[in-house]
């Protein structure tokens, strides 16, 4: 028997698609979430978000945020701007200080999206 005959006589397994249990993420949703994940993909920004969330009412004055983070005030302001533009923070000026607040709904949306991809539910 030739090599050609052998390869033709061996049955190759067919690719069988497994059934979907939910629709995959849309391109629009992936783009929206990527903006938020990109904003979080920096250690300084993660620390700033955590520092704000760790405060009473999830709010902190910008004057309190540089403690323990070894970057300049303009760099902190830049990172806060990125977090604000991604929708993770809101800000409010009070006299000469700016106060930042975490937007919990955005964090919940991220957690829900990751849980859906993992096939688990988030218990709020």
């Amino acid at each position: 028997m030739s090599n050609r005959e052998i390869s033709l006589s061996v049955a190759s397994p067919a690719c069988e698609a497994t059934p979907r249990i939910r629709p995959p993420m849309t391109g629009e949703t992936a783009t929206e979430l990527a903006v938020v994940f990109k904003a979080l993909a920096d250690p300084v920004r993660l620390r700033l978000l955590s520092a704000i969330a760790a405060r009473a009412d999830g709010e902190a004055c910008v004057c309190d945020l540089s403690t323990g983070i070894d970057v300049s005030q303009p760099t902190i302001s830049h990172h806060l701007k990125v977090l604000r533009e991604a929708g993770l923070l809101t800000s409010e000026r009070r006299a000469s200080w700016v106060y930042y607040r975490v937007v919990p709904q955005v964090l919940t949306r991220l957690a829900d999206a990751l849980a859906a991809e993992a096939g688990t539910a988030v218990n709020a």
Side-chain angles (χ1 to χ4, degrees):
M1 198 188 291
S2 70
N3 285 342
R4 179 175 160 89
E5 290 176 87
I6 292 172
S7 65
L8 291 176
S9 63
V10 176
S12 64
C15 175
E16 294 183 29
T18 56
R20 287 187 181 163
I21 56 172
R22 61 173 170 75
M25 186 181 294
T26 66
E28 182 180 333
T29 299
T31 300
E32 291 170 6
L33 291 174
V35 169
V36 181
F37 282 119
K38 185 176 179 181
L40 290 173
D42 182 279
V44 172
R45 290 194 284 267
L46 277 173
R47 290 182 69 199
L48 288 169
L49 184 75
S50 178
I52 295 166
R55 300 283 180 153
D57 298 327
E59 177 182 81
C61 176
V62 71
C63 62
D64 296 326
L65 295 175
S66 59
T67 305
I69 300 177
D70 295 331
V71 295
S72 67
Q73 183 59 48
T75 301
I76 288 176
S77 293
H78 165 74
H79 286 302
L80 290 169
K81 177 183 175 187
V82 171
L83 291 169
R84 196 177 69 247
E85 288 175 347
L88 289 158
L89 299 177
T90 60
S91 62
E92 179 184 347
R93 180 171 290 283
R94 297 181 199 158
S96 57
W97 296 108
V98 177
Y99 287 79
Y100 289 88
R101 180 180 291 275
V102 172
V103 180
Q105 298 87 345
V106 176
L107 296 177
T108 300
R109 183 171 183 224
L110 292 176
D112 289 347
L114 291 173
E117 294 305 314
T120 61
V122 175
N123 298 322

